[in-house]
Amino acid sequence: MVFVRVLTTSVVVALLWVVTRSIRRLFFHRLSHIPGPRLAALTWWYEFHYNVVLPGKYIFKIQELHREYGPILRITPEEVHINDVGFLDTVYAGLRDKYEYPLKALRVPGGVGATADAKLHKLRREALVPFFSKRNVLSLQHLIAEKVDQLSEIIAKHAIEASQINLSDLFFAFSNDQLGMMVKAGEVRPKKKPSTESLPPQERTLTRLEQEGALLALAGTESPALSLGIIFYHLLANPSILNRLRTEIETVPTHASWPQLEKLPYLMAVIEEGNRLSFGVTARIGRRAHEELVFTPSSYATTPGTGVSYKIPARTPLSISTLSAHTAQSVFPDPFTIDPERWLGEAGRKRKRFQMAFTKGSRNCLGIELANAELCLVIAALVRSFEMTLLDTDARDVSFEHDYQIAMPNIGSKGVRVTVI
Ligand code: HEM
């Protein structure tokens, strides 16, 4: 009898709690004025359905919801998403905290990229910056070139054996090896002394440093490999782009250096376009401003809105996904088609402010220079030396179908496979 009474009371209390919390979230929450589906404002189960059950599909659903609700959207009880690249600088510039909730998925709380607090992030990042400066990467160029040679040797061996090559696997191994080899060779010692001595003792524990290392390996492996796979698929599927690129690459010496390659406009345009279509980090990497922000739709907004301004309370997790930015028709017409031309000339230069593959601001990618060096050297070497043909590979092997922090293609895809002569 007592048990039944306790059970009934518990159920009633739980129900009351759910009802009052739902009323608060819908009508008295600081984000109640932001448009969006009721269910998304009520519960995280809405996101769970799209991201876990389907899976990795919420980012696409968000774009669909923008078409219905306009350029500003409440996507979870606590979070706002904007579909207007005119607002990119406001979201990502300045000193911003990150939103803790999605960072947990990375499971490396001690890593610089998974650090929510802006001040702690600054401290951790300053200790790493000299290792990834352009000057330091330039001094490591010979190591990157060594790995590119090894990559070419493997491909040449497959050409002799007439056996197929999985480029996606090969690029993954290349970028991962790259980091490992640099560390092993003890060559990551930067020219400028890092400020690691200035890190307090709790920042120098083995666990913290292990997590930092894990994040670097994760960040430095997946993304360059993905961009390379996407670029090679599109080059092989579009012979006119490949031929134009090859003609340009043949204007520089066979073992051209990274600085020489960086001066080739079409090569750099192909890399920009490959990075755009890779969508960088696809997850909503929400930022929290310390101050209240006001969103007014800009001329870049592509979803219908009322033109009304919205106040976004301080510390609201706010994001513009790379899917939203890189497919904005106002900046990237026909966004799912590869078109390196869009990055050429004055128009291309202006467009770069909307390239979000490396995000923006003080929390942008730390490995931009290393990534650029890797991409330039690999593309130049392989395009110059090999004639490849796609094998059992189509657009769905490189298209963005699932958001698993980075863009994942069709489930079951075996990657970009080729034969070589
Ligand atoms: C094409 C290649 C690459 C792309 C598209 C890319 C993209 C990104 C993006 C979008 C972020 C920001 C994520 C966020 O805001 O949470 C990021 C952060 C980061 N990336 Fe990369 N990345 C690439 C290559 C690399 C490489 C080669 C390294 C070298 C280890 C690297 C190391 C990092 C680190 C350490 C961070 C965290 C920076 C911070 O929070 O201050 N990335 N990357």
Side-chain angles (χ1 to χ4, degrees):
M1 200 58 192
V2 175
F3 172 73
V4 173
R5 212 175 296 152
V6 169
L7 189 71
T8 315
T9 312
S10 306
V11 170
V12 171
V13 168
L15 274 176
L16 273 175
W17 182 74
V18 168
V19 170
T20 47
R21 209 167 63 145
S22 302
I23 292 173
R24 195 188 77 79
R25 279 185 182 165
L26 285 182
F27 303 107
F28 302 104
H29 192 277
R30 62 198 192 120
L31 298 180
S32 309
H33 61 296
I34 308 283
R38 290 278 162 122
L39 214 49
L42 259 183
T43 172
W44 272 272
W45 289 106
Y46 188 76
E47 177 189 0
F48 181 89
H49 171 72
Y50 289 100
N51 262 352
V52 180
V53 180
L54 289 184
K57 290 288 190 186
Y58 197 34
I59 214 79
F60 302 97
K61 178 67 184 176
I62 289 171
Q63 289 306 104
E64 197 184 307
L65 292 171
H66 274 299
R67 286 191 278 279
E68 189 180 343
Y69 292 93
I72 182 167
L73 201 62
R74 186 178 176 192
I75 52 171
T76 70
E78 297 292 341
E79 203 183 337
V80 169
H81 186 268
I82 305 273
N83 190 42
D84 181 352
V85 290
F87 206 57
L88 277 174
D89 289 335
T90 313
V91 176
Y92 292 94
L95 205 64
R96 299 280 186 253
D97 288 340
K98 271 190 184 173
Y99 183 31
E100 302 81 1
Y101 160 71
L103 295 179
K104 287 182 192 155
L106 292 172
R107 293 165 169 263
V108 281
V112 64
T115 308
D117 180 77
K119 287 199 186 116
L120 181 58
H121 168 264
K122 190 165 181 282
L123 186 80
R124 288 175 173 174
R125 181 158 171 134
E126 274 170 3
L128 291 171
V129 163
F131 292 95
F132 292 94
S133 66
K134 183 150 193 171
R135 194 173 152 192
N136 207 47
V137 176
L138 270 172
S139 73
L140 298 174
Q141 225 192 133
H142 62 288
L143 292 179
I144 304 174
E146 261 176 46
K147 276 285 151 194
V148 174
D149 286 347
Q150 195 184 350
L151 191 68
S152 300
E153 280 163 25
I154 294 171
I155 296 176
K157 191 166 167 273
H158 279 277
I160 292 166
E161 291 167 359
S163 53
Q164 64 160 282
I165 302 171
N166 189 320
L167 281 184
S168 304
D169 290 349
L170 207 55
F171 291 145
F172 193 94
F174 165 81
S175 52
N176 187 262
D177 251 19
Q178 194 71 65
L179 297 167
M181 188 179 72
M182 281 156 58
V183 173
K184 204 168 152 197
E187 299 255 5
V188 278
R189 215 174 298 121
K191 296 276 178 251
K192 185 170 170 271
K193 207 167 181 294
S195 55
T196 322
E197 266 75 69
S198 64
L199 281 175
Q202 70 273 19
E203 285 299 303
R204 282 183 272 133
T205 63
L206 188 59
T207 309
R208 213 293 280 172
L209 296 176
E210 266 175 9
Q211 291 179 357
E212 191 68 280
L215 184 118
L216 288 174
L218 189 79
T221 303
E222 294 267 13
S223 299
L226 191 69
S227 286
L228 281 170
I230 288 170
I231 288 170
F232 272 90
Y233 169 78
H234 286 294
L235 288 178
L236 301 179
N238 296 278
S240 61
I241 299 178
L242 177 63
N243 290 339
R244 184 168 168 188
L245 180 63
R246 184 170 282 150
T247 306
E248 186 187 65
I249 287 172
E250 282 169 354
T251 62
V252 293
T254 307
H255 285 289
S257 65
W258 172 36
Q260 282 173 304
L261 294 171
E262 264 192 322
K263 292 198 185 85
L264 301 179
Y266 198 65
L267 170 63
M268 298 319 286
V270 166
I271 290 177
E272 287 288 353
E273 187 67 342
N275 284 337
R276 182 184 73 83
L277 287 170
S278 82
F279 294 94
V281 172
T282 51
R284 307 184 311 270
I285 31 184
R287 303 293 199 257
R288 301 178 109 156
H290 291 228
E291 68 282 5
E292 179 185 276
L293 300 175
V294 176
F295 169 69
T296 307
S298 77
S299 55
Y300 292 106
T302 49
T303 36
T306 52
V308 177
S309 296
Y310 288 87
K311 284 185 178 169
I312 305 172
R315 302 207 47 72
T316 300
L318 187 62
S319 56
I320 301 177
S321 71
T322 48
L323 177 66
S324 158
H326 290 183
T327 61
Q329 293 274 359
S330 52
V331 181
F332 302 112
D334 203 1
F336 292 100
T337 301
I338 184 158
D339 181 11
E341 290 277 341
R342 50 174 125 230
W343 299 102
L344 294 175
E346 185 54 16
R349 197 186 58 76
K350 287 190 177 148
R351 204 166 261 132
K352 282 192 184 159
R353 66 178 268 234
F354 303 105
Q355 170 66 276
M356 287 295 287
F358 298 104
T359 69
K360 277 174 171 268
S362 58
R363 286 172 170 269
N364 71 346
C365 175
L366 192 62
I368 294 180
E369 303 298 350
L370 178 59
N372 273 333
E374 287 179 10
L375 266 58
C376 280
L377 291 166
V378 170
I379 296 170
L382 303 196
V383 164
R384 184 193 287 273
S385 311
F386 299 104
E387 204 59 70
M388 302 184 189
T389 311
L390 289 169
L391 181 76
D392 299 333
T393 302
D394 63 33
R396 289 201 75 195
D397 292 301
V398 291
S399 59
F400 178 13
E401 308 249 343
H402 301 271
D403 163 23
Y404 285 0
Q405 298 280 343
I406 59 165
M408 279 291 152
N410 185 25
I411 289 177
S413 163
K414 294 191 170 78
V416 178
R417 284 156 299 149
V418 296
T419 51
V420 186
I421 47 169

